[in-house]
Coordinates of all heavy atoms in Angstrom, one line a residue:
M8 N 45.5 -27.6 -1.3 CA 44.7 -28.4 -0.3 C 45.6 -29.3 0.5 O 46.6 -29.7 0.0 CB 43.7 -29.2 -1.1 CG 42.6 -29.8 -0.2 SD 41.4 -30.7 -1.1 CE 42.4 -32.1 -1.5
S9 N 45.3 -29.6 1.7 CA 46.1 -30.4 2.5 C 45.3 -31.6 3.0 O 44.1 -31.6 3.0 CB 46.7 -29.6 3.7 OG 45.6 -29.2 4.5
V10 N 46.0 -32.6 3.5 CA 45.4 -33.8 4.1 C 44.8 -33.3 5.4 O 45.4 -32.6 6.2 CB 46.4 -34.9 4.3 CG1 45.8 -36.1 5.0 CG2 47.0 -35.3 2.9
T11 N 43.6 -33.8 5.8 CA 42.9 -33.3 6.9 C 43.8 -33.3 8.2 O 44.3 -34.4 8.6 CB 41.7 -34.2 7.2 OG1 40.9 -34.2 6.0 CG2 40.9 -33.7 8.3
G12 N 44.0 -32.2 8.7 CA 44.7 -32.0 10.0 C 46.1 -32.4 10.1 O 46.7 -32.4 11.2
S13 N 46.8 -32.8 9.0 CA 48.1 -33.3 9.1 C 49.2 -32.4 8.5 O 50.3 -32.7 8.6 CB 48.2 -34.7 8.6 OG 47.9 -34.7 7.2
C14 N 48.8 -31.5 7.7 CA 49.7 -30.6 7.0 C 49.7 -29.2 7.5 O 48.6 -28.7 8.0 CB 49.4 -30.6 5.5 SG 49.7 -32.2 4.7
P15 N 50.8 -28.5 7.5 CA 50.8 -27.1 7.9 C 50.0 -26.3 6.9 O 49.9 -26.7 5.8 CB 52.3 -26.7 8.0 CG 52.9 -27.7 7.1 CD 52.1 -29.0 7.1
P16 N 49.6 -25.1 7.3 CA 48.9 -24.2 6.3 C 49.9 -23.9 5.2 O 51.1 -23.8 5.4 CB 48.5 -23.0 7.1 CG 49.2 -23.1 8.4 CD 49.7 -24.5 8.6
P17 N 49.4 -23.7 3.9 CA 50.3 -23.4 2.8 C 51.0 -22.1 3.0 O 50.5 -21.1 3.5 CB 49.3 -23.3 1.6 CG 48.0 -23.1 2.2 CD 48.0 -23.7 3.5
R18 N 52.3 -22.0 2.6 CA 53.1 -20.8 2.6 C 52.7 -20.0 1.4 O 52.3 -20.6 0.3 CB 54.6 -21.2 2.5 CG 55.1 -22.0 3.6 CD 56.5 -22.3 3.5 NE 56.9 -22.7 2.1 CZ 56.8 -23.9 1.6 NH1 56.3 -24.9 2.3 NH2 57.1 -24.2 0.4
P19 N 52.8 -18.7 1.5 CA 52.6 -17.8 0.3 C 53.5 -18.3 -0.8 O 54.7 -18.5 -0.6 CB 52.9 -16.4 0.7 CG 52.8 -16.5 2.2 CD 53.1 -17.9 2.6
G20 N 53.0 -18.5 -2.0 CA 53.9 -18.9 -3.1 C 53.8 -20.4 -3.3 O 54.2 -20.9 -4.4
A21 N 53.3 -21.1 -2.4 CA 53.1 -22.6 -2.5 C 52.0 -22.8 -3.5 O 51.1 -22.0 -3.8 CB 52.8 -23.3 -1.2
W22 N 52.0 -24.0 -4.1 CA 51.0 -24.3 -5.2 C 49.5 -24.2 -4.7 O 48.6 -23.9 -5.4 CB 51.2 -25.8 -5.7 CG 51.0 -26.9 -4.7 CD1 51.9 -27.4 -3.9 CD2 49.7 -27.5 -4.4 NE1 51.3 -28.4 -3.1 CE2 50.0 -28.5 -3.4 CE3 48.4 -27.4 -4.9 CZ2 49.0 -29.3 -2.9 CZ3 47.4 -28.2 -4.4 CH2 47.7 -29.1 -3.4
Q23 N 49.4 -24.4 -3.3 CA 48.0 -24.3 -2.8 C 47.4 -22.9 -3.0 O 46.2 -22.8 -3.0 CB 48.0 -24.6 -1.3 CG 48.3 -26.1 -1.0 CD 49.8 -26.3 -0.7 OE1 50.7 -25.6 -1.1 NE2 50.0 -27.3 0.1
T24 N 48.2 -21.9 -3.1 CA 47.6 -20.5 -3.3 C 46.9 -20.4 -4.6 O 46.1 -19.5 -4.7 CB 48.7 -19.4 -3.1 OG1 49.7 -19.6 -4.1 CG2 49.4 -19.5 -1.7
A25 N 47.2 -21.2 -5.6 CA 46.6 -21.2 -6.9 C 45.3 -22.1 -6.9 O 44.7 -22.2 -7.9 CB 47.5 -21.6 -8.0
A26 N 45.1 -22.8 -5.8 CA 44.0 -23.8 -5.8 C 42.6 -23.1 -6.0 O 42.3 -22.1 -5.4 CB 44.0 -24.6 -4.5
A27 N 41.8 -23.7 -6.9 CA 40.5 -23.1 -7.2 C 39.5 -23.3 -6.0 O 38.5 -22.6 -5.9 CB 39.9 -23.7 -8.4
C28 N 39.9 -24.1 -5.0 CA 39.0 -24.3 -3.9 C 39.3 -23.4 -2.7 O 38.7 -23.6 -1.6 CB 39.0 -25.8 -3.5 SG 40.7 -26.4 -3.0
V29 N 40.3 -22.6 -2.9 CA 40.7 -21.7 -1.8 C 39.5 -20.9 -1.4 O 38.7 -20.4 -2.2 CB 41.8 -20.7 -2.2 CG1 42.0 -19.6 -1.2 CG2 43.1 -21.5 -2.3
G30 N 39.2 -20.8 -0.1 CA 38.1 -20.1 0.4 C 36.8 -20.9 0.6 O 35.9 -20.5 1.3
L31 N 36.8 -22.1 0.1 CA 35.7 -23.0 0.4 C 35.8 -23.5 1.8 O 36.9 -23.8 2.3 CB 35.6 -24.2 -0.6 CG 35.2 -23.8 -2.0 CD1 35.3 -25.1 -2.9 CD2 33.8 -23.3 -2.1
P32 N 34.7 -23.7 2.5 CA 34.8 -24.2 3.9 C 35.4 -25.7 3.9 O 35.1 -26.5 3.0 CB 33.3 -24.3 4.3 CG 32.6 -23.4 3.4 CD 33.3 -23.4 2.1
P33 N 36.2 -26.0 5.0 CA 36.7 -27.3 5.1 C 35.6 -28.4 5.0 O 35.9 -29.5 4.5 CB 37.4 -27.3 6.5 CG 37.7 -25.8 6.7 CD 36.6 -25.0 6.0
G34 N 34.5 -28.1 5.5 CA 33.4 -29.0 5.5 C 32.9 -29.4 4.1 O 32.3 -30.5 3.9
V35 N 33.2 -28.5 3.2 CA 32.9 -28.8 1.8 C 34.0 -29.7 1.2 O 33.8 -30.7 0.6 CB 32.7 -27.5 1.0 CG1 32.6 -27.8 -0.5 CG2 31.4 -26.8 1.4
V36 N 35.3 -29.2 1.3 CA 36.4 -29.8 0.7 C 36.7 -31.2 1.3 O 37.1 -32.1 0.6 CB 37.7 -28.9 0.8 CG1 38.9 -29.6 0.2 CG2 37.4 -27.6 0.2
F37 N 36.4 -31.4 2.6 CA 36.7 -32.6 3.2 C 35.4 -33.5 3.5 O 35.5 -34.4 4.3 CB 37.5 -32.4 4.5 CG 38.8 -31.8 4.2 CD1 39.1 -30.5 4.5 CD2 39.8 -32.5 3.5 CE1 40.3 -29.9 4.3 CE2 41.1 -31.9 3.2 CZ 41.3 -30.6 3.6
S38 N 34.3 -33.1 2.8 CA 33.1 -33.9 3.0 C 33.3 -35.3 2.4 O 34.0 -35.5 1.4 CB 31.9 -33.2 2.3 OG 30.8 -34.0 2.4
K39 N 32.6 -36.2 2.9 CA 32.5 -37.6 2.3 C 31.3 -37.7 1.5 O 31.1 -38.7 0.8 CB 32.5 -38.6 3.4 CG 33.7 -38.7 4.3 CD 33.6 -39.8 5.3 CE 34.7 -39.8 6.3 NZ 34.5 -40.8 7.3
K40 N 30.4 -36.7 1.5 CA 29.1 -36.8 0.8 C 29.1 -36.0 -0.5 O 29.6 -34.9 -0.5 CB 28.0 -36.3 1.8 CG 27.9 -37.1 3.0 CD 26.8 -36.6 3.9 CE 26.7 -37.4 5.2 NZ 25.8 -36.8 6.2
V41 N 28.6 -36.6 -1.5 CA 28.6 -36.0 -2.8 C 28.0 -34.7 -2.9 O 28.5 -33.7 -3.4 CB 28.0 -37.0 -3.9 CG1 27.9 -36.3 -5.2 CG2 28.8 -38.3 -4.0
K42 N 26.8 -34.6 -2.3 CA 26.0 -33.3 -2.4 C 26.8 -32.2 -1.7 O 26.9 -31.1 -2.2 CB 24.6 -33.5 -1.7 CG 23.7 -32.3 -1.9 CD 22.3 -32.6 -1.4 CE 21.4 -31.4 -1.6 NZ 20.0 -31.7 -1.1
E43 N 27.3 -32.5 -0.5 CA 28.1 -31.4 0.2 C 29.4 -31.1 -0.5 O 29.8 -29.9 -0.4 CB 28.4 -31.9 1.7 CG 27.2 -32.1 2.5 CD 27.5 -32.7 3.9 OE1 28.6 -32.9 4.2 OE2 26.5 -33.0 4.6
A44 N 30.0 -32.0 -1.1 CA 31.3 -31.8 -1.8 C 31.1 -31.2 -3.2 O 32.1 -30.8 -3.8 CB 32.0 -33.1 -1.9
A45 N 29.9 -31.1 -3.7 CA 29.7 -30.6 -5.1 C 30.4 -29.3 -5.4 O 31.0 -29.1 -6.4 CB 28.2 -30.5 -5.4
P46 N 30.3 -28.2 -4.5 CA 31.0 -27.0 -4.8 C 32.5 -27.2 -5.0 O 33.2 -26.6 -5.9 CB 30.8 -26.1 -3.6 CG 29.5 -26.6 -3.0 CD 29.6 -28.1 -3.2
A47 N 33.1 -28.1 -4.3 CA 34.6 -28.3 -4.4 C 34.8 -29.1 -5.7 O 35.8 -28.8 -6.4 CB 35.1 -29.1 -3.2
L48 N 34.0 -30.0 -6.1 CA 34.1 -30.7 -7.3 C 34.0 -29.8 -8.5 O 34.7 -29.9 -9.5 CB 33.1 -31.9 -7.4 CG 33.3 -33.0 -6.5 CD1 32.1 -33.9 -6.4 CD2 34.6 -33.8 -6.9
R49 N 33.1 -28.8 -8.4 CA 33.0 -27.8 -9.5 C 34.2 -27.0 -9.6 O 34.7 -26.6 -10.7 CB 31.7 -26.9 -9.3 CG 30.4 -27.7 -9.6 CD 29.3 -26.7 -9.6 NE 28.9 -26.1 -8.4 CZ 28.1 -26.6 -7.5 NH1 27.5 -27.8 -7.7 NH2 27.9 -26.0 -6.3
A50 N 34.8 -26.6 -8.4 CA 36.0 -25.8 -8.4 C 37.2 -26.6 -9.1 O 38.0 -26.0 -9.8 CB 36.4 -25.5 -7.0
C51 N 37.2 -27.9 -8.8 CA 38.3 -28.7 -9.4 C 38.3 -28.6 -10.9 O 39.3 -28.7 -11.6 CB 38.1 -30.2 -9.0 SG 38.5 -30.5 -7.3
A52 N 37.1 -28.5 -11.5 CA 37.0 -28.5 -13.0 C 37.9 -27.4 -13.6 O 38.4 -27.6 -14.7 CB 35.5 -28.4 -13.4
G53 N 38.0 -26.3 -13.0 CA 38.9 -25.2 -13.5 C 40.1 -25.0 -12.8 O 40.7 -23.9 -12.9
C54 N 40.5 -25.9 -12.0 CA 41.7 -25.7 -11.1 C 43.0 -25.9 -11.8 O 43.2 -26.9 -12.5 CB 41.7 -26.7 -9.9 SG 43.0 -26.4 -8.8
P55 N 43.9 -24.9 -11.7 CA 45.2 -25.0 -12.5 C 46.2 -25.9 -11.8 O 47.3 -26.2 -12.4 CB 45.7 -23.6 -12.5 CG 45.1 -23.0 -11.3 CD 43.8 -23.6 -11.1
V56 N 45.9 -26.4 -10.6 CA 46.9 -27.2 -9.9 C 46.4 -28.6 -9.5 O 46.8 -29.2 -8.6 CB 47.4 -26.5 -8.6 CG1 48.2 -25.3 -8.9 CG2 46.2 -26.1 -7.7
R57 N 45.5 -29.0 -10.4 CA 44.8 -30.3 -10.1 C 45.8 -31.5 -10.0 O 45.7 -32.3 -9.1 CB 43.8 -30.5 -11.3 CG 42.7 -31.4 -11.0 CD 41.7 -31.3 -12.1 NE 41.1 -32.5 -12.4 CZ 39.9 -32.7 -12.9 NH1 39.2 -31.7 -13.4 NH2 39.4 -33.9 -13.1
R58 N 46.7 -31.5 -11.0 CA 47.7 -32.6 -10.9 C 48.6 -32.6 -9.7 O 48.8 -33.6 -9.0 CB 48.5 -32.6 -12.2 CG 49.6 -33.8 -12.2 CD 50.4 -33.8 -13.4 NE 49.5 -33.9 -14.6 CZ 49.7 -34.6 -15.7 NH1 50.8 -35.3 -15.7 NH2 48.9 -34.6 -16.7
K59 N 49.0 -31.3 -9.4 CA 49.9 -31.2 -8.2 C 49.1 -31.5 -6.9 O 49.7 -32.1 -6.0 CB 50.3 -29.7 -8.1 CG 51.3 -29.4 -7.0 CD 52.6 -30.2 -7.2 CE 53.5 -29.9 -6.0 NZ 54.7 -30.8 -6.1
C60 N 47.8 -31.2 -6.9 CA 47.0 -31.5 -5.7 C 47.0 -33.0 -5.5 O 47.2 -33.5 -4.4 CB 45.6 -31.0 -6.0 SG 44.3 -31.5 -4.8
E61 N 46.7 -33.8 -6.6 CA 46.6 -35.2 -6.4 C 48.0 -35.8 -6.1 O 48.1 -36.8 -5.3 CB 46.1 -35.9 -7.6 CG 45.7 -37.3 -7.4 CD 44.7 -37.9 -8.4 OE1 44.0 -37.1 -9.1 OE2 44.5 -39.1 -8.4
E62 N 49.1 -35.3 -6.6 CA 50.4 -35.8 -6.3 C 50.7 -35.5 -4.8 O 51.3 -36.3 -4.2 CB 51.5 -35.1 -7.2 CG 51.5 -35.5 -8.6 CD 52.4 -34.6 -9.5 OE1 53.0 -33.7 -9.0 OE2 52.4 -34.9 -10.7
A63 N 50.4 -34.3 -4.4 CA 50.8 -33.9 -3.0 C 49.9 -34.7 -2.0 O 50.5 -35.1 -0.9 CB 50.6 -32.4 -2.8
V64 N 48.7 -34.8 -2.2 CA 47.8 -35.5 -1.3 C 47.9 -37.0 -1.3 O 47.8 -37.7 -0.3 CB 46.3 -35.0 -1.5 CG1 45.3 -35.8 -0.6 CG2 46.2 -33.5 -1.3
A65 N 48.1 -37.5 -2.5 CA 48.2 -39.0 -2.7 C 47.1 -39.7 -2.0 O 47.3 -40.5 -1.1 CB 49.6 -39.5 -2.3
P66 N 45.8 -39.4 -2.4 CA 44.7 -39.8 -1.7 C 44.6 -41.4 -1.5 O 44.2 -41.8 -0.4 CB 43.5 -39.3 -2.5 CG 44.0 -38.9 -3.8 CD 45.5 -38.6 -3.6
A67 N 45.0 -42.1 -2.5 CA 44.9 -43.6 -2.4 C 45.9 -44.1 -1.4 O 45.7 -45.1 -0.7 CB 45.2 -44.2 -3.7
D68 N 47.0 -43.4 -1.2 CA 48.1 -43.9 -0.3 C 47.8 -43.4 1.2 O 48.4 -43.9 2.1 CB 49.4 -43.3 -0.7 CG 49.9 -43.8 -2.0 OD1 49.4 -44.9 -2.4 OD2 50.7 -43.1 -2.7
N69 N 46.9 -42.4 1.3 CA 46.7 -41.8 2.6 C 45.3 -42.0 3.2 O 44.9 -41.4 4.1 CB 47.0 -40.3 2.6 CG 48.5 -40.1 2.3 OD1 49.3 -40.6 3.1 ND2 48.8 -39.3 1.3
W70 N 44.5 -42.9 2.6 CA 43.2 -43.2 3.0 C 42.4 -41.9 3.1 O 41.7 -41.6 4.1 CB 43.1 -43.9 4.3 CG 43.7 -45.3 4.2 CD1 44.9 -45.7 3.8 CD2 43.0 -46.5 4.6 NE1 45.1 -47.0 3.8 CE2 43.9 -47.6 4.3 CE3 41.8 -46.8 5.1 CZ2 43.6 -48.9 4.5 CZ3 41.5 -48.2 5.3 CH2 42.4 -49.2 5.0
F71 N 42.6 -41.0 2.2 CA 42.1 -39.7 2.2 C 40.5 -39.6 2.1 O 39.9 -40.4 1.3 CB 42.7 -38.9 1.0 CG 42.2 -37.5 0.9 CD1 42.7 -36.5 1.8 CD2 41.3 -37.1 -0.1 CE1 42.3 -35.2 1.7 CE2 40.9 -35.8 -0.2 CZ 41.4 -34.8 0.7
D72 N 39.9 -38.7 2.8 CA 38.5 -38.4 2.7 C 38.4 -37.0 2.3 O 38.9 -36.1 2.9 CB 37.8 -38.5 4.1 CG 37.7 -40.0 4.6 OD1 37.4 -40.8 3.7 OD2 37.7 -40.2 5.8
G73 N 37.6 -36.8 1.2 CA 37.4 -35.4 0.7 C 37.6 -35.3 -0.8 O 37.7 -36.3 -1.5
V74 N 37.7 -34.1 -1.3 CA 37.9 -33.8 -2.7 C 39.3 -33.5 -3.0 O 40.0 -32.7 -2.3 CB 37.0 -32.6 -3.1 CG1 37.3 -32.2 -4.6 CG2 35.5 -32.9 -2.9
C75 N 39.8 -34.2 -4.0 CA 41.2 -34.0 -4.4 C 41.3 -34.3 -5.9 O 40.9 -35.4 -6.3 CB 42.2 -34.9 -3.6 SG 43.9 -34.9 -4.2
G76 N 42.0 -33.4 -6.6 CA 42.3 -33.7 -8.0 C 41.0 -33.9 -8.9 O 41.1 -34.7 -9.9
G77 N 39.9 -33.4 -8.5 CA 38.7 -33.5 -9.3 C 37.9 -34.7 -9.0 O 36.9 -35.0 -9.7
R78 N 38.2 -35.4 -7.9 CA 37.4 -36.6 -7.5 C 37.1 -36.5 -6.0 O 37.9 -35.9 -5.3 CB 38.2 -37.9 -7.8 CG 38.2 -38.1 -9.3 CD 38.8 -39.5 -9.6 NE 40.3 -39.4 -9.5 CZ 41.1 -40.5 -9.8 NH1 40.6 -41.6 -10.1 NH2 42.4 -40.3 -9.7
L79 N 36.0 -37.1 -5.6 CA 35.7 -37.3 -4.2 C 36.3 -38.6 -3.8 O 36.1 -39.7 -4.5 CB 34.2 -37.2 -4.0 CG 33.7 -37.5 -2.6 CD1 34.2 -36.4 -1.6 CD2 32.2 -37.5 -2.6
W80 N 36.9 -38.6 -2.6 CA 37.6 -39.9 -2.1 C 37.0 -40.2 -0.8 O 36.7 -39.3 0.0 CB 39.1 -39.6 -2.0 CG 39.8 -39.2 -3.2 CD1 39.8 -38.0 -3.8 CD2 40.5 -40.1 -4.1 NE1 40.6 -38.1 -4.9 CE2 41.0 -39.3 -5.1 CE3 40.8 -41.5 -4.0 CZ2 41.7 -39.9 -6.2 CZ3 41.6 -42.0 -5.1 CH2 42.0 -41.2 -6.1
R81 N 36.8 -41.5 -0.5 CA 36.4 -42.0 0.8 C 37.4 -43.1 1.2 O 37.5 -44.1 0.4 CB 35.0 -42.5 0.8 CG 34.0 -41.5 1.0 CD 32.6 -42.1 1.3 NE 31.6 -41.3 0.8 CZ 30.6 -41.7 -0.1 NH1 30.6 -42.9 -0.5 NH2 29.8 -40.8 -0.5
R82 N 38.1 -42.9 2.2 CA 39.1 -43.8 2.7 C 40.1 -44.2 1.6 O 40.4 -45.4 1.4 CB 38.5 -45.1 3.3 CG 37.7 -44.7 4.6 CD 36.9 -45.9 5.2 NE 37.8 -46.9 5.6 CZ 38.5 -47.0 6.8 NH1 38.3 -46.0 7.7 NH2 39.3 -48.0 7.1
G83 N 40.5 -43.2 0.8 CA 41.4 -43.5 -0.3 C 40.9 -44.1 -1.6 O 41.7 -44.5 -2.4
R84 N 39.6 -44.2 -1.7 CA 39.0 -44.7 -2.9 C 38.1 -43.7 -3.6 O 37.4 -43.1 -2.9 CB 38.2 -46.0 -2.6 CG 39.1 -47.1 -2.1 CD 38.3 -48.4 -1.9 NE 39.2 -49.5 -1.5 CZ 39.6 -50.4 -2.3 NH1 39.3 -50.5 -3.6 NH2 40.4 -51.4 -1.8
P85 N 38.2 -43.6 -4.9 CA 37.3 -42.6 -5.6 C 35.9 -43.0 -5.5 O 35.6 -44.2 -5.6 CB 37.9 -42.6 -7.0 CG 38.7 -43.8 -7.2 CD 39.1 -44.3 -5.8
V86 N 35.0 -42.0 -5.3 CA 33.6 -42.3 -5.2 C 33.0 -42.0 -6.5 O 33.3 -41.0 -7.2 CB 33.0 -41.3 -4.1 CG1 31.5 -41.4 -4.0 CG2 33.6 -41.6 -2.7
E87 N 32.0 -42.8 -6.9 CA 31.3 -42.6 -8.2 C 30.3 -41.4 -7.9 O 29.6 -41.4 -7.0 CB 30.6 -43.8 -8.6 CG 31.5 -44.9 -9.0 CD 30.8 -46.1 -9.7 OE1 29.6 -46.1 -9.7 OE2 31.5 -47.0 -10.1
I88 N 30.4 -40.5 -8.9 CA 29.6 -39.3 -8.8 C 28.5 -39.3 -9.8 O 28.8 -39.4 -11.0 CB 30.5 -38.0 -9.0 CG1 31.7 -38.0 -8.1 CG2 29.7 -36.7 -8.8 CD1 31.5 -37.9 -6.7
P89 N 27.2 -39.1 -9.4 CA 26.1 -39.0 -10.4 C 26.4 -37.8 -11.3 O 26.9 -36.7 -10.8 CB 24.9 -38.8 -9.5 CG 25.2 -39.3 -8.2 CD 26.7 -39.1 -8.0
A90 N 26.2 -38.0 -12.6 CA 26.6 -36.9 -13.6 C 26.0 -35.6 -13.3 O 26.6 -34.6 -13.5 CB 26.1 -37.4 -14.9
H91 N 24.8 -35.5 -12.6 CA 24.2 -34.2 -12.4 C 24.9 -33.4 -11.3 O 24.7 -32.2 -11.2 CB 22.7 -34.4 -12.1 CG 22.4 -35.1 -10.8 ND1 22.4 -36.4 -10.7 CD2 22.2 -34.6 -9.6 CE1 22.1 -36.8 -9.5 NE2 22.0 -35.7 -8.7
F92 N 25.9 -34.0 -10.6 CA 26.6 -33.2 -9.6 C 27.9 -32.7 -10.3 O 28.6 -31.9 -9.6 CB 27.0 -34.1 -8.5 CG 25.9 -34.3 -7.5 CD1 25.3 -35.5 -7.3 CD2 25.5 -33.2 -6.7 CE1 24.3 -35.7 -6.4 CE2 24.5 -33.4 -5.8 CZ 23.9 -34.6 -5.6
L93 N 28.3 -33.1 -11.5 CA 29.5 -32.7 -12.1 C 29.4 -31.5 -13.0 O 28.3 -31.4 -13.6 CB 30.1 -33.9 -12.9 CG 30.5 -35.1 -12.0 CD1 30.9 -36.2 -13.0 CD2 31.6 -34.8 -11.0
P94 N 30.4 -30.7 -13.1 CA 30.3 -29.5 -14.0 C 30.3 -30.1 -15.4 O 30.9 -31.1 -15.7 CB 31.6 -28.7 -13.7 CG 32.5 -29.7 -13.1 CD 31.6 -30.7 -12.4
V95 N 29.6 -29.4 -16.3 CA 29.6 -29.7 -17.7 C 30.5 -28.9 -18.5 O 30.5 -27.7 -18.4 CB 28.2 -29.6 -18.3 CG1 28.1 -29.9 -19.8 CG2 27.2 -30.5 -17.5
V96 N 31.5 -29.5 -19.2 CA 32.5 -28.9 -20.0 C 32.3 -29.4 -21.4 O 32.4 -30.6 -21.7 CB 33.9 -29.1 -19.5 CG1 34.9 -28.4 -20.4 CG2 34.0 -28.6 -18.1
Q97 N 32.0 -28.5 -22.4 CA 31.8 -28.9 -23.8 C 30.8 -30.1 -23.9 O 31.0 -31.0 -24.6 CB 33.1 -29.3 -24.4 CG 34.0 -28.1 -24.5 CD 35.3 -28.4 -25.2 OE1 35.7 -29.6 -25.3 NE2 36.1 -27.4 -25.6
G98 N 29.7 -30.0 -23.1 CA 28.6 -30.9 -23.3 C 28.8 -32.2 -22.6 O 28.0 -33.1 -22.6
R99 N 30.0 -32.4 -21.9 CA 30.2 -33.7 -21.2 C 30.6 -33.4 -19.8 O 31.3 -32.4 -19.5 CB 31.4 -34.4 -21.9 CG 31.1 -34.6 -23.3 CD 32.3 -35.3 -24.0 NE 32.3 -36.7 -23.7 CZ 33.2 -37.5 -24.1 NH1 34.2 -37.1 -24.7 NH2 33.1 -38.8 -23.7
P100 N 30.1 -34.2 -18.8 CA 30.6 -34.0 -17.4 C 32.1 -34.1 -17.3 O 32.7 -34.9 -18.0 CB 29.9 -35.2 -16.7 CG 28.8 -35.6 -17.6 CD 29.3 -35.3 -19.0
R101 N 32.7 -33.3 -16.4 CA 34.1 -33.3 -16.2 C 34.5 -33.6 -14.8 O 33.9 -33.1 -13.9 CB 34.7 -32.0 -16.6 CG 36.2 -31.9 -16.4 CD 36.7 -30.6 -16.9 NE 38.1 -30.5 -16.6 CZ 38.8 -29.5 -16.9 NH1 38.3 -28.5 -17.5 NH2 40.1 -29.5 -16.6
G102 N 35.4 -34.5 -14.6 CA 35.9 -34.9 -13.3 C 35.0 -36.0 -12.7 O 33.9 -36.2 -13.1
G103 N 35.6 -36.6 -11.7 CA 34.9 -37.7 -11.0 C 34.7 -38.9 -11.8 O 35.1 -39.0 -12.9
S104 N 34.2 -39.9 -11.1 CA 33.8 -41.1 -11.7 C 32.3 -41.1 -11.9 O 31.6 -41.0 -10.9 CB 34.2 -42.3 -10.9 OG 35.6 -42.2 -10.6
V105 N 31.8 -41.2 -13.1 CA 30.4 -41.0 -13.3 C 29.7 -42.3 -13.2 O 30.2 -43.4 -13.7 CB 30.2 -40.4 -14.7 CG1 28.7 -40.2 -15.0 CG2 30.9 -39.1 -14.9
V106 N 28.5 -42.3 -12.6 CA 27.7 -43.5 -12.6 C 26.5 -43.3 -13.5 O 26.1 -42.2 -13.9 CB 27.1 -43.8 -11.1 CG1 28.2 -44.2 -10.2 CG2 26.3 -42.6 -10.6
Ligands
SF4_208 S1 42.2 -30.0 -7.6 FE1 40.3 -29.5 -6.5 S2 40.7 -30.0 -4.4 FE2 42.7 -29.9 -5.5 S3 43.4 -27.9 -5.2 FE3 42.3 -27.9 -7.1 S4 40.2 -27.3 -6.6 FE4 41.2 -27.9 -4.7

C-alpha cells in the first residue's frame, strides 16, 4: 500500500505485491469511513506484510488517511472501530482499536 498520491506504484517483488489488500479499490483502502474501509480492515487481519506496511507508510508521521497495518487512520490518528466491523479470530476481534 502507498501513501495517497505520493508514492510510485509498487515494483514487482516489492513487499506491496504480498499485500492482502491488493485489488481492493482505492476508495476502500483510503476511505476515512469505517463502513467503507471494512473490507480493507478484514484483509489486514490475514496480511503477511502488516508490519512492513505500517513501517513504510508511517501513518502517524504522515497525517495518513485510510487503512494501514490493520487500523483505520484519519489525519495520522487511529480511529476506534466498533467490534462488529472487525474480523473475528479465535473468538476475539482482531485489528483496530475497539470501542
Ligand atoms: S496491512 Fe492492510 S493495508 Fe497494509 S498492506 Fe496489508 S492488507 Fe494492505
Side-chain angles (χ1 to χ4, degrees):
M8 190 177 76
S9 64
V10 176
T11 306
S13 63
C14 293
R18 299 178 318 275
W22 66 268
Q23 292 96 331
T24 60
C28 60
V29 166
L31 288 177
V35 170
V36 178
F37 297 110
S38 176
K39 295 179 185 178
K40 298 177 180 175
V41 175
K42 187 174 182 180
E43 292 173 7
L48 291 167
R49 287 193 292 272
C51 290
C54 183
V56 293
R57 205 167 144 156
R58 181 179 301 221
K59 184 66 182 171
C60 173
E61 191 158 347
E62 288 173 0
V64 175
D68 296 337
N69 292 306
W70 293 57
F71 179 75
D72 288 326
V74 176
C75 172
R78 291 186 279 183
L79 176 63
W80 302 81
R81 275 190 212 126
R82 298 178 59 85
R84 295 185 178 257
V86 175
E87 292 187 356
I88 309 293
H91 64 276
F92 281 111
L93 297 174
V95 175
V96 178
Q97 295 179 345
R99 306 176 77 182
R101 179 175 176 180
S104 303
V105 180
V106 290

